[in-house]
Amino acid sequence: MTDPAPVSVDALLARVTGIFEGCGVRPDAAASVARVIVAGERDACKSHGIYRIEGCLKVLAAGKVNGQAVPRLHDEGRAVVEVDAVGGFSNPAFDAALDLLDARARDTGLAALVIRDCLHFSALWHDVEALAGRGLAGLSMCPSYSFVAPAGGTTPLLGTNPFAFGWPRSSGDPYVFDFATSVAARGEIELHRRAGTPIPEGWAMDADGNPTTDPEAALAGAMLTFGGHKGSALSTMIELLSGAMLGEFMSREALDFMGRTDLLPRHGALVLAFDPTVFAARSGRDPLAEGEKLLDAIAEQGARLPSQRRFRARAAALSDGILLSAAELAQLDRFETEGLSAVAG
Ligand code: NDP
Ligand code: PYC
């Protein structure tokens, strides 16, 4: 068998968009979902790259996400704007609301986007990078499924609850971090399970509350928060702000609603956008120039900024293409030819 050749980012985007359209997702929504999946693959974030297609098709096949949903914007002229995903994917809902969030943040200095009732599977850096690309700082967060024990406990209750921050830079890539508040994303453990490799110590405990490096036992047990009580508190904050405060599911309710861990979760999400020029206006200082001083000083120590690895991977993928394994290419072929039947059973 010949080694697989790299595929260009655009070609992969066209394939993934076609797969979602072929599975009954309306074209705009298919394009939004494909963009974040291919961005994950392009940026070497495998836990939220093309491996997620299968998960998305499973929820489509189970009828638990509405591929035809058209997001509905709600704007009462306040700093808080809403988009109802109406049971569809989160990504088209975010795309539909981005211009409104941007405009409101410029008016008020700080605006919040509430995303309601969405199927959420993606990495969050995409949201905050979109805001940073428009000169806005951003925070994004959401619950997920109750896979994670609070620090000091042994029973899954919190989600892997991701948290992302973006800061625009006067030149070059924005400052962006994006991480699960569990030690690792659930997707990382699933990739270890598929590869038959142990997970690092300190990621999870088994169903009896004992530390484990066995991915199967970890998936059946409880994941741990990063930084002990600190990650646990941040994760709790995310449950409160993007679950309880929005009147949307927290992670335990999201799991109860779907009833199965192999289907991706439906819940809400919260995105905050800040216009630094509004905040700094009366100071007479340029917030981006001040930010540059800090970010340059970090880099001058030889410390790497978060997302640097990702931006390097992106540059390489855009110039040389993305190398997918033979198994990954075969799976894409199967999704193209079989559609939702590929995930039946
Ligand atoms: P990682 O631990 O892989 O990375 C976390 C962040 O830290 C990244 O911004 C990364 O930048 C940065 N980073 C990593 N190492 C260093 C370093 N040595 N120095 C400086 N910065 C560093 O993330 P997770 O595994 O926690 O999460 C992966 C993804 O999973 C996230 O994108 C998250 O949104 C997603 N997720 C989504 C969920 C959902 O419900 N939708 C739930 C949980 C997670 P870089 O990328 O450049 O390495
Ligand atoms: O990797 O933890 C995760 C995750 C949950 C939902 C989407 N990604």
Side-chain angles (χ1 to χ4, degrees), residues 154-196:
T154 53
T155 307
L157 176 61
L158 303 169
T160 49
N161 300 358
F163 189 60
F165 170 72
W167 177 263
R169 299 196 66 179
S170 24
S171 65
D173 296 317
Y175 175 87
V176 172
F177 69 73
D178 174 21
F179 48 71
T181 44
S182 45
V183 177
R186 180 103 174 157
E188 291 290 344
I189 301 186
E190 175 59 19
L191 290 176
H192 277 279
R193 188 189 67 77
R194 291 179 182 203

Side-chain angles (χ1 to χ4, degrees), residues 43 45 47-48 120-125 142-144 160-164 176-186 188 265 267 304-311:
D43 286 12
C45 295
S47 71
H48 290 78
H120 204 297
F121 70 89
S122 50
L124 300 185
W125 49 261
C142 69
S144 61
T160 49
N161 300 358
F163 189 60
V176 172
F177 69 73
D178 174 21
F179 48 71
T181 44
S182 45
V183 177
R186 180 103 174 157
E188 291 290 344
H267 46 67
R304 95 151 157 94
L305 295 175
S307 294
Q308 262 182 1
R309 176 203 62 85
R310 210 160 53 67
F311 292 134

